[in-house]
Amino acid sequence: MIRMLDHTADVGFELEAPSVEALFEEARRALVMIVLENPPEHGRGEKEIRLSGPDLETLLVRWLNELVYLLQDLRFVPVGSRIGIREAGGVWFALEASLSGAPLEPQEQGFTGEIKSATFHGLEVQSGSGGWRARVILDV
């Protein structure tokens, strides 16, 4: 589930998912929803992503910033993903993802504007009895 947040001069969202991998997939979906009014439904290419971070908050920021790079710089719209997240060495988390995507076509897809980056401002990643939750603010 994605819930958009009102935030002065930035864009934010809250996410809920049953697993940490599903939470990161929801973050991908939210990012694409923010940047494109009419995102493509099917991918025609693939990209492999490997990231690490000392905690899940840092890993989520790195994930979103990698997606921003793919979308805005490489013009690759990530339309789906298969994500694996694991603890690496007890003090780090590792993410491996296979993204399916399509070329960015700004006019056709309704590109709404660039995102500078995901931020640590107000960032939360939590697990609970009902699954996982996150709160993210993007600098636009």
Side-chain angles (χ1 to χ4, degrees):
M1 182 203 54
I2 300 168
R3 183 178 318 111
M4 301 309 289
L5 301 173
D6 288 329
H7 193 277
T8 308
D10 291 327
V11 176
F13 50 85
E14 291 180 341
L15 309 167
E16 292 182 14
S19 69
V20 70
E21 290 85 0
L23 187 75
F24 277 61
E25 169 60 11
E26 286 293 285
R28 181 207 56 80
R29 287 183 54 235
L31 178 73
V32 171
M33 286 173 43
I34 289 166
V35 175
L36 300 175
E37 293 174 353
N38 304 305
E41 294 182 19
H42 304 288
R44 299 188 297 249
E46 287 206 0
K47 300 249 186 238
E48 300 295 321
I49 306 296
R50 286 185 175 81
L51 301 169
S52 63
D55 51 49
L56 290 172
E57 291 82 5
T58 302
L59 193 60
L60 182 58
V61 167
R62 288 179 180 170
W63 168 245
L64 288 166
N65 287 336
E66 183 70 16
L67 296 175
V68 167
Y69 167 73
L70 290 172
L71 211 157
Q72 295 177 175
D73 293 347
L74 298 184
R75 302 178 66 82
F76 177 85
V77 180
V79 298
S81 64
R82 290 184 314 277
I83 302 169
I85 297 175
R86 61 180 172 77
E87 282 194 57
V91 294
W92 282 83
F93 290 87
L95 175 146
E96 292 185 8
S98 178
L99 294 169
S100 62
L104 175 63
E105 298 174 9
Q107 281 76 21
E108 183 179 309
Q109 296 164 352
F111 184 70
T112 60
E114 291 195 5
I115 292 174
K116 293 177 189 172
S117 68
T119 71
F120 286 92
H121 176 75
L123 180 65
E124 294 177 8
V125 176
Q126 301 174 338
S127 67
S129 60
W132 288 83
R133 297 180 47 136
R135 177 185 169 100
V136 177
I137 304 293
L138 303 173
D139 185 10
V140 294

